[in-house]
Amino acid sequence: MYPSLFHLPFLHTYGVLVAAAFLVGLWVVGRLAKEAGLNPDSVTNLGLYCALAAIAGAKLMMFLVDIPYYTEHPGEIFSLESLQAGGVFYGGLIAALLVSWWYMRRTKLPLLRTADVFAPAIAIGHAIGRIGCFTAGCCWGERCDLPWAVTFHSEEAHNRVGVPLGVPLHPTQLYESAAEFAIFAILYWRIRKPHTEGSIISLYLILYSAARFVVEFFRYHEQGNLLNGPLDTSQWISLALFAMGGAYFLKQRVRHPAKAV
């Protein structure tokens, strides 16, 4: 666990890996855009807009799922800890999807074909970003006694994100990262095969939401639960996105069985 590179307090490993994730994702989407016959410049610009929207959306979702705390401590919204926090991924994903829809209508990029080339890029970027979470100590798991349990010892990480020290925990960051690398491999392979437009992004929604739903059972939830009940906020969103992706997937399978994923 190395929250800072080269022992420099201003060079956060998490930030470096998130930047690397963005650059790798942008390279993947640019390459796939050319293969799909899309304008690489327009698609790259869309990637930049999505990145900004994702940052804002992830922060907003973080505040929403913990409304009681931020209502009692409104000053924490602008604290250094809140600004450094990565936020909730689903908030970033939803915001990026909304901005994508707006930008693609404005630039006349084909909606589903563009979404398809972004799906593998989102997966690989998220996979790298979750490694950043692991190095920073955030998004940690529940206590466990399994052989692959991880124990954090960095006082810097504890002070920054609150990760417990000296306690064996589920490496939920690595669970999700491994799932995303696998999803990327599946999507990158499948997008280069005959497929109907929209089938790749729908497959991403199915695979990621299923993986996230399972990982949430092993994750410690330091944030609130917006919807309450036996499932947390991310799991409810997972179910909704799984249903959306699954409905489109089945619809395309019936309409175009020869090209079905």
Side-chain angles (χ1 to χ4, degrees), residues 11-260:
L11 191 58
H12 298 162
T13 310
Y14 176 81
V16 171
L17 285 172
V18 167
F22 173 70
L23 293 175
V24 171
L26 208 59
W27 177 81
V28 170
V29 79
R31 178 169 180 172
L32 292 177
K34 290 181 181 179
E35 294 179 3
L38 299 172
N39 185 318
D41 291 336
S42 295
V43 173
T44 300
N45 289 337
L46 174 58
L48 295 172
Y49 281 118
C50 286
L52 295 174
I55 294 171
K59 298 285 188 185
L60 179 60
M61 181 66 76
M62 180 181 74
F63 298 140
L64 287 176
V65 298
D66 216 358
I67 284 178
Y69 175 80
Y70 288 106
T71 300
E72 294 179 5
H73 307 85
E76 288 296 314
I77 294 176
F78 303 103
S79 68
L80 181 61
E81 290 76 10
S82 294
L83 293 175
Q84 289 180 334
V88 178
F89 172 75
Y90 270 138
L93 177 62
I94 293 170
L97 290 174
L98 291 174
V99 169
S100 297
W101 176 81
W102 166 79
Y103 183 83
M104 284 186 277
R105 282 178 60 89
R106 183 170 175 268
T107 57
K108 298 187 178 354
L109 281 170
L111 178 64
L112 294 176
R113 202 188 331 161
T114 306
D116 282 343
V117 302
F118 266 90
I122 295 171
I124 189 67
H126 197 188
I128 297 171
R130 279 303 183 200
I131 297 176
C133 288
F134 182 71
T135 63
C138 61
C139 308
W140 65 89
E142 295 280 2
R143 178 176 183 137
C144 76
D145 297 313
L146 296 169
W148 56 83
V150 296
T151 303
F152 296 106
H153 299 285
S154 171
E155 290 288 345
E156 179 185 351
H158 174 73
N159 293 334
R160 186 179 298 165
V161 301
V163 60
L165 304 182
V167 180
L169 307 170
H170 279 285
T172 46
Q173 311 95 326
L174 300 185
Y175 292 166
E176 193 167 341
S177 179
E180 284 282 31
F181 276 120
I183 292 169
F184 165 74
I186 293 170
L187 298 180
Y188 194 79
W189 167 77
R190 193 62 191 87
I191 199 171
R192 305 179 120 192
K193 302 288 184 181
H195 62 277
T196 58
E197 290 188 358
S199 61
I200 305 302
I201 188 64
S202 63
L203 183 59
Y204 167 76
L205 292 177
I206 293 169
L207 295 175
Y208 176 68
S209 58
R212 180 63 179 265
F213 185 87
V214 174
V215 169
E216 286 295 307
F217 285 114
F218 304 99
R219 181 174 168 180
Y220 175 79
H221 298 97
E222 69 270 32
Q223 295 169 325
N225 186 346
L226 182 61
L227 300 176
N228 296 318
L231 303 179
D232 65 41
T233 306
S234 291
Q235 287 177 312
W236 285 115
I237 297 175
S238 293
L239 291 175
L241 293 180
F242 185 91
M244 290 171 55
Y248 188 84
F249 176 85
L250 293 175
K251 180 180 177 181
Q252 293 302 98
R253 191 176 184 86
V254 171
R255 286 187 175 182
H256 309 279
K259 290 184 178 181

